[in-house]
Amino acid sequence: MLKIVEVLVLVVAGLGFVLWQFRDLRRSREITRKQREAEQNQSLNATSESRAPLEKRGPDGR
């Protein structure tokens, strides 16, 4: 009987670990995606600002 309990505890612990790792992986992918989007937006804004003629920019330099 004790062996069955030990095996069940190990199986539950293993499943919990696998689920935790998948959740962590999903969170990491989401953070990476947001960082890439922010970098792309930042580079697009920098490119568009550098191409804009000085006379068309507003008083605050944008």
Side-chain angles (χ1 to χ4, degrees):
M1 183 68 181
L2 187 59
K3 267 299 193 212
I4 294 172
V5 172
E6 290 175 2
V7 169
L8 287 175
V9 167
L10 285 175
V11 168
V12 169
L15 286 173
F17 180 76
V18 168
L19 291 173
W20 174 58
Q21 288 297 307
F22 276 115
R23 188 191 73 186
D24 192 44
L25 179 63
R26 187 174 52 235
R27 185 184 307 147
S28 297
R29 284 181 178 166
E30 183 66 21
I31 290 170
T32 303
R33 184 186 65 80
K34 287 180 181 180
Q35 287 175 342
R36 284 186 187 147
E37 286 178 357
E39 288 172 1
Q40 286 176 347
N41 289 338
Q42 190 176 26
S43 67
L44 287 174
N45 287 340
T47 303
S48 65
E49 285 180 4
S50 66
R51 290 185 180 176
L54 291 175
E55 52 277 353
K56 289 191 178 183
R57 292 184 184 180
D60 60 345
R62 293 185 197 172

